[in-house]
Amino acid sequence: MSEVAKLELDGTVYEFPVITGSENEKAIDISKLRGNSGYITIDPGFKNTGSCVSEITFLDGEQGILRYRGYSIEDLANKASFLEVCYLLIFGELPNKSELAKFEATIRKYTLVNEEMKDIIDGFPKNAHPMGILSSLTSALTAFNPKPLNVESDEQVYEAVCKTLAKFLVLSSWVHRKREGFPLNYYDNSKGYVENFLRMMFAIPTEEYKADPVIVDALDKLLILHADHEQNCSTSTVRVVGSSHAGLFASISAGVSALWGPLHGGANQAVIEMLEAIKADGGDVEKFIAKAKDKDDPFRLMGFGHRVYKNFDPRAKIIKKAADDVLNSLGVNDPVLDIAKTLEKAALEDEYFKARNLYPNVDFYSGIIYRALGIPTEMFTVMFAIGRLPGWIAQWLEMRKNGEPIGRPRQVYTGSNLRDFKDIASR
Ligand code: SDX
């Protein structure tokens, strides 16, 4: 006998089916609620509302569990490459050797970006935020690839996936180069995906560039840790935009914009700015913890708290260890790492944070590593976007292949009731 939920409204009892996920998550299917009762539900921020069923990523916020297609984030971060994880998220299985070789070879088919893209990037002022430029360039890709994607064609989907992974990486590096006034670099098809990003970011024509394997490995792991996170703000945005059958590039462009916000992916930049402010202020973490607790102060402890995790964000644990390893390996001594650790310890011992289950999230330590890798602070959220790209693609494809309806929520109107029009003379 399948489980049902009963709801009594105005003396009438309505029954709604309960669905159970593969990890025993329960949801009440209210798709017939309005038709049967005239009522809708309301849930600002969708804190209690599921938008879809999905086979891609599983989170358990209470246990601090994160899995991509059933594989633990710990295993993937320590044993897989970022491109293997891209393949896993998008196509559902880890690739074998020949599948991975074909995937990398197909990505290399699309690593040359249309030269006219440079005219678009030249139109931006030097101080434009990288995320604003990247969102625009991603949307502009539609202009150079106008043919709508037939999601029923596996071959077209495969090519579109590889093209997106290739072009987005090159454009991300161009955003940095433009801001620095350096010549734009091209992808080198003889080198790996992550190594190429570093080369396109930092190689200058006057010197030979050799990517440090420690940095390549650290970046590869960081990208894996950011690759997907079920229905977060930017992924939900990609799904909703895609639900109108807008193209993949347009949907991803919208996801970049959503990720930019300091409450979401923009937090990694905000964390470093916060840690720098604490350092400049003399390192008094208690003062900033008090500000974070003060309801009259808009200041929040950036990199802390999470909509789903009410335990440690498993990614934060891995990144915290990686920060120690990478900085030690590179011989970097960054005082903000010590401030971050002191801040974390103090916050985790504070009743306000404990009572609200506020723990460090993925953004708390990531910026410290990015900085040690030589990546400028304003590029940190672009790094998050590069990591999240395969998740956005996978979720967009799942939404389209499932034939999901256009995302169009209802509302409760609380404005003026009907009133007569007044001529301007009588207003
Ligand atoms: C990401 O969703 C995802 O999966 C996102 C992400 C992904 O991989 O896609 O994990 C990436 O976005 C991580 C989050 C990065 N953002 C930050 O680090 C910004 C700082 N954190 C917050 O603003 C906040 O914690 C959110 C936005 C992350 C979550 O907000 P919620 O779930 O809406 O929680 P809330 O704002 O309702 O807070 C609950 C309580 C409130 O206090 P009370 O009203 O109960 O007294 O906790 C307080 C909040 O004031 N609170 C904080 C706080 N975060 C929450 N107080 C101080 N500092 C904070 N950081």
Side-chain angles (χ1 to χ4, degrees):
M1 160 75 169
S2 54
E3 194 180 345
V4 292
K6 293 184 179 173
L7 184 60
E8 184 173 345
L9 295 167
D10 304 333
T12 306
V13 176
Y14 299 89
E15 289 195 355
F16 301 96
V18 171
I19 64 169
T20 304
S22 52
E23 290 289 339
N24 292 317
E25 294 167 304
K26 302 273 185 188
I28 302 166
D29 178 348
I30 56 164
S31 44
K32 298 216 172 6
L33 172 65
R34 189 171 188 277
N36 293 350
S37 73
Y39 283 67
I40 63 168
T41 60
I42 192 156
D43 184 21
F46 315 117
K47 295 189 177 186
N48 306 280
T49 299
S51 59
C52 61
V53 293
S54 177
E55 299 177 353
I56 299 170
T57 290
F58 172 68
L59 298 191
D60 180 323
E62 283 65 37
Q63 306 294 321
I65 292 171
L66 170 57
R67 298 186 199 130
Y68 298 158
R69 300 282 189 183
Y71 294 96
S72 77
I73 192 63
E74 291 80 6
D75 271 353
L76 293 170
N78 294 320
K79 299 173 185 170
S81 71
F82 177 58
L83 281 188
E84 285 179 288
V85 169
C86 290
Y87 191 99
L88 170 68
L89 285 168
I90 295 166
F91 301 111
E93 297 296 337
L94 284 167
N96 60 32
K97 271 200 179 129
S98 64
E99 288 164 336
L100 183 58
K102 180 189 171 198
F103 191 51
E104 289 177 316
T106 311
I107 288 170
R108 286 196 292 268
K109 277 170 51 181
Y110 298 107
T111 53
L112 193 60
V113 172
N114 192 299
E115 288 289 307
E116 287 172 291
M117 272 289 196
K118 294 183 176 179
D119 301 333
I120 300 172
I121 207 167
D122 284 340
F124 286 94
K126 263 196 185 307
N127 62 349
H129 194 286
M131 288 295 275
I133 304 173
L134 182 58
S135 176
S136 305
L137 294 178
T138 307
S139 185
L141 282 171
T142 310
F144 299 97
N145 303 274
K147 193 164 168 286
L149 170 60
N150 170 11
V151 295
E152 301 312 318
S153 156
D154 290 346
E155 206 257 331
Q156 280 193 34
V157 166
Y158 190 87
E159 297 292 320
V161 164
C162 293
K163 180 184 288 187
T164 307
L165 289 167
K167 308 280 184 198
F168 194 86
L169 191 79
V170 177
L171 292 174
S172 296
S173 74
W174 282 11
V175 167
H176 167 67
R177 300 289 289 192
K178 165 73 190 169
R179 287 166 51 85
E180 298 294 315
F182 288 159
L184 305 182
N185 283 325
Y186 291 90
Y187 195 103
D188 174 346
N189 281 346
S190 70
K191 292 182 171 43
Y193 189 79
V194 175
E195 181 183 352
N196 254 295
F197 178 71
L198 291 166
R199 212 181 50 72
M200 293 187 291
M201 282 279 286
F202 301 119
I204 50 177
T206 50
E207 285 163 27
E208 201 213 337
Y209 179 81
K210 187 114 183 61
D212 180 333
V214 170
I215 295 181
V216 174
D217 288 349
L219 187 49
D220 196 284
K221 178 179 281 195
L222 278 170
L223 295 176
I224 289 171
L225 292 167
H226 287 81
D228 193 53
H229 216 237
E230 55 134 277
Q231 303 312 313
N232 61 85
C233 178
S234 55
T235 299
S236 300
T237 301
V238 169
R239 285 182 82 122
V240 167
V241 170
S243 72
S244 74
H245 287 197
L248 180 57
F249 293 132
S251 305
I252 287 169
S253 170
V256 172
S257 297
L259 187 71
W260 189 358
L263 294 188
H264 188 17
N268 58 16
Q269 175 179 342
V271 167
I272 286 291
E273 291 164 352
M274 173 186 72
L275 294 172
E276 286 290 5
I278 295 173
K279 178 167 153 260
D281 186 71
D284 177 2
V285 297
E286 290 301 341
K287 177 177 167 186
F288 284 80
I289 285 178
K291 277 171 64 67
K293 291 157 62 175
D294 178 357
K295 290 300 169 198
D296 297 327
D297 188 330
F299 174 80
R300 282 199 160 187
L301 217 48
M302 301 314 277
F304 255 77
H306 197 278
R307 174 61 58 76
V308 174
Y309 291 123
K310 300 309 171 193
N311 193 326
F312 263 93
D313 181 334
R315 302 166 299 175
K317 280 187 193 171
I318 297 169
I319 293 176
K320 180 179 177 181
K321 181 176 180 312
D324 276 328
D325 298 345
V326 169
L327 270 66
N328 290 337
S329 170
L330 296 175
V332 171
N333 173 26
D334 188 344
V336 297
L337 177 57
D338 296 334
I339 292 176
K341 288 179 178 176
T342 307
L343 182 60
E344 175 191 3
K345 186 172 179 303
L348 294 182
E349 288 165 0
D350 184 289
E351 198 37 49
Y352 172 94
F353 290 86
K354 285 198 288 192
R356 293 166 178 79
N357 295 310
L358 301 177
Y359 291 88
N361 59 48
V362 67
D363 292 310
F364 189 65
Y365 285 103
S366 54
I368 292 166
I369 300 182
Y370 289 141
R371 187 154 80 163
L373 303 186
I375 291 162
T377 304
E378 286 220 328
M379 280 291 288
F380 287 3
T381 312
V382 170
M383 301 311 297
F384 195 142
I386 294 168
R388 186 53 51 89
L389 181 61
W392 287 335
I393 295 170
Q395 299 267 354
W396 186 91
L397 285 171
E398 182 178 70
M399 176 275 304
R400 285 297 306 275
K401 286 173 181 279
N402 287 351
E404 289 187 12
I406 188 169
R408 199 272 185 223
R410 304 302 297 246
Q411 64 159 30
V412 172
Y413 176 70
T414 55
S416 303
N417 299 111
L418 179 64
R419 28 187 191 157
D420 295 331
F421 184 79
K422 278 189 196 145
D423 290 332
I424 193 160
S426 57
R427 285 177 220 156

